[in-house]
Amino acid sequence: MKTLDTYDFSGKKALIRVDFNVPLNDKYEITDDTRITATIPTIKKILKDGGSCILMSHLGRPKDGPTEKYSLKHLVNPLSLILGVSVKFADDCIGESAAEQAASLKPGEVLLLENLRFYKEEEKGDVVFAEKLSKLGDVWVNDAFGTAHRAHASTAVIGQFFEDRVCGYVMQAEIDNAQKILEHAERPFTAIMGGAKISDKILIIERLLDKVDTLIIGGGMTYTFTKAQGGEIGKSLLEADKQPLALEILAKAKEKGVKIVLPSDNVCADKFSNDANKQVVKTGEIPADWEGLDIGPETIKTFTGILEKSKTILWNGPMGVFEFPNFATGTNAVAEAVVKATEENGAFSLIGGGDSASAINNAGYGDRVSYVSTGGGALLEYMEGKTLPGVAALE
Ligand code: 3PG
Ligand code: MG
């Protein structure tokens, strides 16, 4: 695989696939710019070499062509500010005007193309569309780790049209850090998994059972474990058909000598709302009309105690409905414990994308852990052992 550091971009137009799929509020302001700031070193290296950058990305999941809400023009000003270069914008990603703008780009300049997903061909992995995109640059750089699990035109198919395919810094760091966790973890190694569904996490949980010393499970998926073990969960989240699977996971862990730690108490609510009435109950004793929305204080003590003694930590998924401040206590406590392990115990801590990345960034701890992944689904699939099309296209 060609890496950025071994490639001289002088005089070259680099067509860079980035993942600028960032959250925007209703004023089109970016609410978490992690994915943009992560890409800056890649762009700067190319400019410093004397090259120019043509950035392409998707934003959201537009269904019917160009939509104001999903226009990448909203990113031009913030990106210019972060980068310190005035970024040009092409209001289409293919066609004459994009071609002209790309052709007239000078060394040191940056051009951002309009949303790739305004064309259905992008997600279909259309070869003709990929070839049209490829004409815009001399060399293809893939730095979109967050989209590397998609076999789309710009993330994978396009590779065949370039002799020079280069792995960006984000892509490289993501792979290196995931490898470090999977293959070179210092012990004790604790994975802490959360989120709503067992079905989303089952493959990674199974793989981790061969790697970790302790697997902590929190969040919505734990109610299915509780129910499967005969506990009362009231109106809490339940994947009824996954109860046998939950018991299987527990049995497999025992077989492999992995310690699984589940919550021992929960904060439950009388409705799904931040201002619901709440009470702490023992796990398995949630009253009929109530639902569990967070881990309880005893569980926080157990979980944070284990994390603080760990030398390697992988965290993926929140412990409760952290979007409601009144039910974010468990998730925030885990974030604090991961920071403490990193700073005081020298642990290597990897925060796996999506919700856990938002949680750690919202809590202001993003730069106090070892690495916050820019990938949600992509990181999970990589860690499950799947080949990511966006990575394979670079090889
Ligand atoms: C993400 O945010 O998951 C990536 O940008 C990929 O987007 P997608 O899930 O819509 O393909
Ligand atoms: Mg996704």
Side-chain angles (χ1 to χ4, degrees):
M1 213 190 279
K2 284 198 177 85
T3 61
L4 273 191
D5 285 331
T6 58
Y7 195 89
D8 182 4
F9 287 89
S10 157
K12 304 255 186 198
K13 289 188 168 71
L15 180 62
I16 315 175
R17 180 45 157 109
V18 290
D19 186 343
F20 282 177
N21 184 27
V22 292
L24 301 177
N25 64 18
D26 49 14
K27 287 186 213 133
Y28 303 126
E29 293 158 344
I30 300 166
T31 54
D32 181 354
D33 64 7
T34 310
R35 283 179 163 176
I36 295 181
T37 51
T39 318
I40 300 300
T42 295
I43 301 172
K44 284 202 165 149
K45 142 78 183 167
I46 293 166
L47 300 181
K48 193 167 161 253
D49 274 1
S52 56
C53 296
I54 301 159
L55 305 172
M56 55 177 178
S57 180
H58 72 288
L59 174 64
R61 294 177 173 170
K63 287 282 157 275
D64 303 298
T67 324
E68 173 77 9
K69 187 177 164 195
Y70 296 119
S71 174
L72 278 164
K73 72 180 181 201
H74 307 304
L75 272 60
V76 172
N77 287 335
L79 173 62
S80 300
L81 279 174
I82 298 170
L83 187 60
V85 170
S86 169
V87 174
K88 298 170 190 290
F89 183 66
D91 61 6
D92 199 349
C93 59
I94 52 170
E96 241 171 69
S97 75
E100 272 165 28
Q101 278 177 279
S104 61
L105 210 59
K106 294 189 219 29
E109 292 186 332
V110 179
L111 173 69
L112 175 65
L113 305 177
E114 182 57 289
N115 197 338
L116 295 158
R117 289 192 186 171
F118 286 170
Y119 289 88
K120 290 203 174 14
E121 288 87 341
E122 163 66 0
E123 286 175 82
K124 284 191 183 135
D126 185 87
V127 182
V128 177
F129 178 70
E131 186 173 17
K132 283 182 191 160
L133 289 171
S134 75
K135 302 274 188 244
L136 300 173
D138 307 314
V139 38
W140 178 56
V141 178
N142 193 0
D143 214 16
F145 178 78
T147 326
H149 56 323
R150 310 287 183 218
H152 294 174
S154 67
T155 61
V157 180
I158 196 171
Q160 63 190 287
F161 299 107
F162 287 94
E163 201 156 306
D164 292 337
R165 304 183 292 269
V166 182
C167 178
Y169 287 138
V170 176
M171 187 73 96
Q172 203 178 344
E174 294 276 359
I175 294 170
D176 289 351
N177 285 312
Q179 281 300 322
K180 186 166 173 175
I181 282 268
L182 290 172
E183 305 305 336
H184 311 286
E186 203 182 323
R187 303 197 170 275
F189 177 6
T190 303
I192 173 160
M193 307 296 292
K197 290 187 183 165
I198 297 182
S199 43
D200 286 346
K201 304 284 162 78
I202 180 64
L203 293 174
I204 186 158
I205 285 178
E206 284 185 338
R207 184 131 197 256
L208 288 172
L209 289 180
D210 288 325
K211 310 271 179 194
V212 301
D213 301 296
T214 306
L215 175 63
I216 299 176
I217 305 179
M221 70 172 134
T222 59
Y223 304 107
T224 300
F225 282 86
T226 307
K227 182 82 178 171
Q229 292 171 301
E232 295 299 333
I233 63 166
K235 290 193 305 184
S236 308
L237 267 181
L238 171 68
E239 284 176 283
D241 61 326
K242 294 294 179 298
Q243 294 179 69
L245 186 59
L247 297 177
E248 231 172 80
I249 292 171
L250 298 177
K252 261 192 201 161
K254 202 166 177 193
E255 214 173 275
K256 293 179 191 273
V258 171
K259 196 171 161 205
I260 287 205
V261 185
L262 285 154
S264 56
D265 61 350
N266 296 100
V267 180
C268 58
D270 60 354
K271 58 180 176 182
F272 188 77
S273 161
N274 185 47
D275 55 21
N277 293 306
K278 52 181 188 171
Q279 60 171 318
V280 175
V281 298
K282 286 216 164 320
T283 293
E285 295 178 11
I286 297 180
D289 281 332
W290 293 62
E291 58 190 304
L293 296 187
D294 197 4
I295 52 174
E298 187 183 270
T299 304
I300 289 180
K301 230 173 156 185
T302 310
F303 286 9
T304 56
I306 296 168
L307 290 169
E308 284 166 17
K309 289 193 196 78
S310 301
K311 278 290 186 187
T312 303
I313 298 171
L314 171 66
W315 180 23
N316 184 288
M319 297 294 105
V321 186
F322 76 105
E323 298 88 342
F324 297 157
N326 288 338
F327 298 94
T329 311
T331 301
N332 288 337
V334 163
E336 265 166 49
V338 176
V339 167
K340 205 165 167 197
T342 312
E343 293 180 344
E344 291 172 22
N345 200 30
F348 177 76
S349 52
L350 175 61
I351 314 302
D355 281 342
S356 9
S358 314
I360 202 117
N361 287 330
N362 290 346
Y365 293 136
D367 49 11
R368 293 174 65 186
V369 294
S370 305
Y371 191 71
V372 182
S373 174
T374 58
L379 183 74
L380 284 181
E381 289 195 22
Y382 187 81
M383 290 204 155
E384 285 164 8
K386 289 192 185 131
T387 299
L388 304 186
V391 177
L394 286 167
E395 277 156 0

